[in-house]
């Protein structure tokens, strides 16, 4: 797709959230002019970065992942395929920026835990379940059966978890599927699917991200059961409304380092695979290399915009509205929840991985499943999830009271709706909770939760964002299936 077309699409995705923040900053909870100006600059950087990143994914990351899948399967060596997929999943996850952010947040509440061990456990979960997902494609195992047994095991173990790690575990499943992990996982799955499915049907490639997302959840629950002692959580006062934004240049070195860490493992694998497996022509090699360069530049610019303004602006809005809700309740509680619903609907449309997934769905379906329709249902699911997360902040009910019936409904729907939509739905749950959700929306919820009267913990927002699209997209699948039967 032409880069100018991508620029137009990303602009249309980001502008609505800018408008909403400015309206709230002027008329609901007045924000200083400097914060609003910095937020605007951050939004421009986000648009430019997202455009470059998605263009790089198209011309570099996706073709590389698909080639890896094709070549590995051509070797007709299942052991090699599974071992390679495990290390690919592990290395990419270790370098995922969202995991670095989440592990720092966990360390702040559980200071006695080992941050590096958290990252390793999450990466192991992705590596193992990504291998399981590829095995599902090769052996043609029904996706809904894998999901059923995976989440049964997760909820049984969660029953014995006593350290408050359950919400963190489900958050890790959402945070893992970030801007680098998702495109590569989807492309690798597509390559393996095209090699093993003699009919040329790519339906089986969907669901790999959804399966992979379950791995970190299980890994973090096991981490809590075996590595975390009781009573290690601490409360920190983060309710200050001081907001430091606009430090774009000062964070550039750190952001560049994060982007290098994120792309480094993939670039290393690309070189190794090129030498020993892919053996692309010079022209194809150069095209993929240029794609990596675009992705790197885009990721740096994108993260500068998000970390330089989006995160702190979201936190400040959450604190200010949350304080009014805690003190006065009533209409301010409604404003808090409605704000979250609006932010959830808008933010999901700006997630890089969401655009990568919806593009692939439209391509594989031959245009019969429109990207705009997927975005509408995704936005609906995420908006409901953020609204419920903020209701949890106000009333302090248990996260499991939502997750258990929610996942139960999602698993039941997986037996009823068309197979293609099951895979798309569980992939959507993973990609919806990306870098913008884990910065702006999570920061908004964190700000609100730390001034709430019931002391509700801030974790679980990403868990809900990852869950509700499973239901929304499968409902779309039922509608789609009934329409086809009626024709």
């Amino acid at each position: 797709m032409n880069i100018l077309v991508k620029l137009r699409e990303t602009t249309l995705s980001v502008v609505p959230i800018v408008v909403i923040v400015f309206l709230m900053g002027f008329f609901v909870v007045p924000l200083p002019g400097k914060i609003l100006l910095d937020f605007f600059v951050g939004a421009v950087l986000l648009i430019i970065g997202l455009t470059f990143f998605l263009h790089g994914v198209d011309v570099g990351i996706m073709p590389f992942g698909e080639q890896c899948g094709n070549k590995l399967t051509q070797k007709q060596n299942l052991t090699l395929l599974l071992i390679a997929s495990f290390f690919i999943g592990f290395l990419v996850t270790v370098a995922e920026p969202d995991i670095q952010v989440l592990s720092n947040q966990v360390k702040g509440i559980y200071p006695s835990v080992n941050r590096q061990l958290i990252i390793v456990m999450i990466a192991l979960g992705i590596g193992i379940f990504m291998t399981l997902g590829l095995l599902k494609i090769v052996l043609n195992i029904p996706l809904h059966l894998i999901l059923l047994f995976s989440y049964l095991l997760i909820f049984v173990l969660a029953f014995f978890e006593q350290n408050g790690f359950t919400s963190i575990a489900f958050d890790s499943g959402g945070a893992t599927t970030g801007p680098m992990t998702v495109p590569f996982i989807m492309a690798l799955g597509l390559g393996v699917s095209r090699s093993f499915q003699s009919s040329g049907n790519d339906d089986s490639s969907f669901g790999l991200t959804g399966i992979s997302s379950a791995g970190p959840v299980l890994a973090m629950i096991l981490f809590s059961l075996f590595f975390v002692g009781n009573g290690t959580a601490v409360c920190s006062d983060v309710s200050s409304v001081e907001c430091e934004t606009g430090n774009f240049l000062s964070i550039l070195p750190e952001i560049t380092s994060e982007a290098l860490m994120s792309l480094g493992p993939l670039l290393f694998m690309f070189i190794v695979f090129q030498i020993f497996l892919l053996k692309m022509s010079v022209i194809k090699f150069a095209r993929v290399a240029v794609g990596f360069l675009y992705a790197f530049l885009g990721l740096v610019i994108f993260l500068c915009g998000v970390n330089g303004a989006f995160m702190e602006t979201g936190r400040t809005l959450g604190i200010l509205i949350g304080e009014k809700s805690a003190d006065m309740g009533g209409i301010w509680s409604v404003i808090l929840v409605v704000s979250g619903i609006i932010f959830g609907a808008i933010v999901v449309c700006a997630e890089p991985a969401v655009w990568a997934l919806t593009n692939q769905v439209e391509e594989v379906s031959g245009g019969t499943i429109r990207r705009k329709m997927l975005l509408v249902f995704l936005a609906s699911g995420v908006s409901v999830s953020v609204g419920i997360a903020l209701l949890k902040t106000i009333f302090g009910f248990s996260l499991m009271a939502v997750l258990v019936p929610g996942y139960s409904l999602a698993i039941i729907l997986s037996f009823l709706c068309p197979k293609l939509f099951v895979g798309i739905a569980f992939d959507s749950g993973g990609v919806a909770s990306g870098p913008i959700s884990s910065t702006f929306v999570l920061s908004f919820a964190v700000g609100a939760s730390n001034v709430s009267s019931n002391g509700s913990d801030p974790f679980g927002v990403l868990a809900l964002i990852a869950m509700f699209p499973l239901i929304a997209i499968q409902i779309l699948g039922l509608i789609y299936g009934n329409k086809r039967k009626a024709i």
Side-chain angles (χ1 to χ4, degrees), residues 205-220:
S205 68
F206 294 109
L208 182 56
T209 301
I211 294 174
S212 300
S213 297
V217 182
L218 181 58
M220 287 300 288

Side-chain angles (χ1 to χ4, degrees), residues 216-255:
V217 182
L218 181 58
M220 287 300 288
I221 291 176
L222 291 173
F223 173 80
S224 174
L225 291 174
F226 293 102
F227 296 105
V228 179
N230 290 326
T232 55
V234 295
C235 295
S236 57
D237 179 15
V238 291
S239 58
S240 169
V241 294
E242 293 180 5
C243 178
E244 183 182 351
T245 59
N247 54 341
F248 302 107
L249 291 178
S250 63
I251 65 174
L252 183 59
E254 183 181 354
I255 293 298

